[in-house]
Amino acid sequence: MSSKAFNLQETDFHRIEAILTKMQRELRAELVLLISRSGQPIVISGSTEQIDCTSLASLAAANLAATDGLANIVGEREFSVLVHQGRKRSLFISDLMKKFSLVLVFDALASSGLVRYKCKRTTQLLEDVIRDFHKRMESEDSALSPPQFSDAELEELLGE
């Protein structure tokens, strides 16, 4: 994947939103977010009235980055899933392709096994959408790239 900005097209946004909304309904989650690893919310599904999504995204990204450091200290390459369990609400954070994260705010009484299963499946679906998006962008970029000329061809074109 390139290091370009991730600017979703409307169809991709709606595909991701549908995936997140389906998972939110199935798990009866309060909130589901796709965020960048830098902490920017990309797509949000659910009630945002009681939660500051910008702060949540930023802190979730920082949490995942800190956990990468912890993983290194104990000899792991990464910890790709984080779960924080509270009395009323819990938080699930999962890495996506080292560029994004899935963040889920859900009832603390929900089955953690079901949450993990649904999040894993959702992560796979999101990765498919993101890969499709990047393939389309790369093919558009190559179609728009300037033609390559040799020095001799340039001299001939410029009449030198």
Side-chain angles (χ1 to χ4, degrees):
M1 257 183 277
S2 68
S3 60
K4 293 182 189 177
F6 185 71
N7 296 314
L8 280 177
Q9 295 179 348
E10 187 174 356
T11 55
D12 298 305
F13 174 86
H14 289 301
R15 284 176 66 195
I16 291 171
E17 185 177 49
I19 291 167
L20 297 182
T21 299
K22 181 179 180 195
M23 184 179 73
Q24 181 203 357
R25 277 194 321 261
E26 289 175 348
L27 291 173
R28 296 186 190 123
E30 184 173 338
L31 189 61
V32 182
L33 298 91
L34 175 66
I35 66 170
S36 68
R37 282 299 288 258
S38 65
Q40 299 296 313
I42 297 171
V43 181
I44 300 170
S45 177
S47 173
T48 59
E49 294 173 10
Q50 296 180 10
I51 296 176
D52 177 354
C53 292
T54 302
S55 295
L56 175 63
S58 178
L59 291 170
N63 192 306
L64 201 53
T67 303
D68 284 347
L70 290 171
N72 288 332
I73 288 171
V74 299
E76 286 291 326
R77 192 170 55 92
E78 67 179 3
F79 293 136
S80 60
V81 173
L82 305 174
V83 180
H84 297 284
Q85 190 165 357
R87 289 188 178 144
K88 295 180 182 178
R89 292 182 178 144
S90 292
L91 188 63
F92 181 95
I93 306 168
S94 177
D95 176 66
L96 269 92
M97 308 167 81
K98 296 285 181 215
K99 291 184 146 288
F100 308 97
S101 298
L102 176 65
V103 179
L104 175 72
V105 179
F106 62 100
D107 187 291
L109 299 175
S111 163
S112 60
L114 181 61
V115 169
R116 283 181 178 273
Y117 172 77
K118 290 290 186 184
C119 287
K120 184 173 183 168
R121 179 66 184 129
T122 298
T123 298
Q124 292 168 344
L125 294 171
L126 292 171
E127 287 177 354
D128 289 345
V129 173
I130 293 166
R131 280 189 194 99
D132 288 347
F133 170 79
H134 280 288
K135 283 179 190 173
R136 276 197 326 277
M137 293 299 101
E138 287 172 3
S139 67
E140 287 178 18
D141 285 348
S142 65
L144 297 175
S145 64
Q148 301 296 316
F149 295 104
S150 69
D151 289 340
E153 290 171 322
L154 282 174
E155 288 175 6
E156 185 180 325
L157 283 171
L158 298 173
E160 293 181 6

